[in-house]
Amino acid sequence: MNIQIPENELVERFVRASGAGGQNVNKVATAVELRFDVARSPSLPEAVRERLLAKRDRRVTDDGVLVLQAQRFRTQDRNRQDARERLAAFIESGLRAPVPRVATRPTRASKERRLGDKRQRSTIKSTRGRWDWD
């Protein structure tokens, strides 16, 4: 499934990046804060929207807005591109429905191994501590 997000659904804000960078970091707003309203976006199918909001991702606010901050690169353009790539990866993670877990039972051999290990550990521990020297 290919999802296209129109430009008018994205809100970009350019801020000064933190960290090293000398004088450049103090005067040029190269970091990008990209906001995308997951909860109210008409571009997302309902199933994908629900999966993305159910993720409990710390980048998604209580109102359902995804906030991505990109400041890895020195140029504004490269940070914009990075933020959009991360948005695409986030949306892609919601495209696939999780595979439900199929409950299985432990095999007889695995039960025997577990019980054998417990017996061995029990004998090791039972020999500790109680020495009768008389």
Side-chain angles (χ1 to χ4, degrees), residues 26-79:
N26 296 325
K27 57 187 181 181
V28 182
T30 56
V32 177
E33 182 183 275
L34 179 75
R35 291 176 172 267
F36 174 63
D37 196 346
V38 178
R40 292 177 199 81
S41 173
S43 306
L44 293 176
E46 193 60 38
V48 174
R49 177 181 298 115
E50 287 175 10
R51 277 196 290 269
L52 291 176
L53 290 174
K55 268 186 151 195
R56 297 277 182 234
D57 195 311
R58 63 183 173 82
R59 299 172 298 182
V60 179
T61 65
D62 293 337
D63 299 329
V65 178
L66 174 71
V67 181
L68 293 172
Q69 293 179 336
Q71 60 180 18
R72 268 195 308 188
F73 301 99
R74 291 177 65 111
T75 64
Q76 194 179 78
D77 191 46
R78 191 65 187 96
N79 282 328

Side-chain angles (χ1 to χ4, degrees), residues 53-122:
L53 290 174
K55 268 186 151 195
R56 297 277 182 234
D57 195 311
R58 63 183 173 82
R59 299 172 298 182
V60 179
T61 65
D62 293 337
D63 299 329
V65 178
L66 174 71
V67 181
L68 293 172
Q69 293 179 336
Q71 60 180 18
R72 268 195 308 188
F73 301 99
R74 291 177 65 111
T75 64
Q76 194 179 78
D77 191 46
R78 191 65 187 96
N79 282 328
R80 257 182 105 188
Q81 186 179 348
D82 182 42
R84 287 166 186 251
E85 287 169 4
R86 286 170 34 202
L87 172 66
F90 178 75
I91 292 172
E92 182 131 349
S93 71
L95 290 178
R96 292 176 301 282
V99 179
R101 182 185 177 276
V102 178
T104 59
R105 299 181 70 176
T107 62
R108 181 181 289 144
S110 69
K111 285 183 189 175
E112 305 256 341
R113 275 194 303 274
R114 183 178 63 85
L115 294 173
D117 290 344
K118 282 170 70 91
R119 272 191 291 279
Q120 187 177 9
R121 174 64 50 194
S122 173

